[in-house]
Amino acid sequence: MKKLLAVALFVALITAGASAQLMFGATGDLHIGDSDLNDAINDPNVLMNQFQKGDGVYVGGFAELAFGNLGFGAAGTFSFPIDYFDNEWMVYDFTGYVSYHLFGARFFLDPFVEIGGGYTASDYANPSDSPNPNFPISATIFWYGSAGLGINLGGLGVFAKLAYISALSTQLDGPVDPYTGEITKIPNYRDPLSDNQLAATVLPPYKVTIGAKFIL
């Protein structure tokens, strides 16, 4: 009986693998607030101009494996802003998600939704500038839901999506305090370009993503 179950499981995995769609590509993310979203609704060129200039845009890539309509993916993007004191920062954003493609991941018109979680952090781009290179200066974990639309032509595709982000107040463990021996907490995300670096910055509630992908 166990052998039959093992064979059946093996066949199921092979069948699923044969019908899976592997997608990977490049993305650009732009975190925006409520006022930015309203401006973009009134004039979509506002967002396009920001993407073209690279103003506040995180650049990176993603990979997703879809089985029919259901997909599992991960993405990572980076930005390297320079603050008022000419310090170069690295701000990064990692997410993992589950997606649902209404007509399948390879269909010409690809409306989809996603739900997942992520981690965003800011740190000095040069580790030697950081007081503790093993930990970021600030970090926040979050969950998100998004909806988007893609257009696929054979093995190539483009897409855009809008995500709603909900940041968690939970603080991550940081370095051990050398005086007390206790584990410190990493401050919640701070915008390196903010005028007040002593205050936590609320992660913007929306994220617009555009991307291009290969479909295997």
Side-chain angles (χ1 to χ4, degrees):
M1 185 64 179
K2 291 182 179 180
K3 290 183 178 181
L4 289 176
L5 290 175
V7 171
L9 179 60
F10 178 75
V11 172
L13 290 173
I14 293 297
T15 302
S19 62
Q21 304 291 332
L22 175 62
M23 298 170 284
F24 61 93
T27 61
D29 293 341
L30 185 61
H31 292 263
I32 60 176
D34 290 309
S35 61
D36 299 314
L37 182 61
N38 290 332
D39 291 342
I41 292 173
N42 294 326
D43 182 7
N45 289 326
V46 172
L47 283 182
M48 293 308 299
N49 289 337
Q50 282 188 267
F51 274 109
Q52 289 175 355
K53 294 178 181 178
D55 185 16
V57 176
Y58 292 53
V59 178
F62 82 101
E64 180 179 335
L65 188 61
F67 300 90
N69 301 85
L70 191 65
F72 303 88
T77 53
F78 299 82
S79 178
F80 295 90
I82 297 176
D83 67 18
Y84 304 107
F85 302 101
D86 290 330
N87 297 310
E88 184 178 14
W89 289 75
M90 178 174 66
V91 183
Y92 47 96
D93 190 286
F94 296 120
T95 57
Y97 61 87
V98 177
S99 65
Y100 183 82
H101 299 263
L102 186 60
F103 304 127
R106 201 182 182 95
F107 197 75
F108 168 70
L109 198 61
D110 178 24
F112 62 90
V113 293
E114 293 177 1
I115 186 169
Y119 168 88
T120 190
S122 64
D123 203 352
Y124 289 104
N126 187 348
S128 63
D129 294 333
S130 177
N132 196 317
N134 296 320
F135 297 90
I137 297 297
S138 67
T140 291
I141 53 178
F142 60 88
W143 70 265
Y144 78 96
S146 68
L149 178 66
I151 297 177
N152 302 319
L153 295 172
L156 299 175
V158 294
F159 63 91
K161 60 183 177 181
L162 174 65
Y164 173 74
I165 294 174
S166 179
L168 303 182
S169 59
T170 304
Q171 289 185 295
L172 302 174
D173 288 342
V176 175
D177 188 305
Y179 300 103
T180 65
E182 296 180 352
I183 297 176
T184 63
K185 294 294 183 180
I186 299 174
N188 286 329
Y189 173 74
R190 295 171 180 170
D191 181 356
L193 303 186
S194 172
D195 293 333
N196 185 359
Q197 282 300 302
L198 297 178
T201 305
V202 177
L203 200 61
Y206 303 103
K207 179 170 69 173
V208 177
T209 301
I210 59 174
K213 63 184 178 182
F214 294 98
I215 309 172
L216 302 182

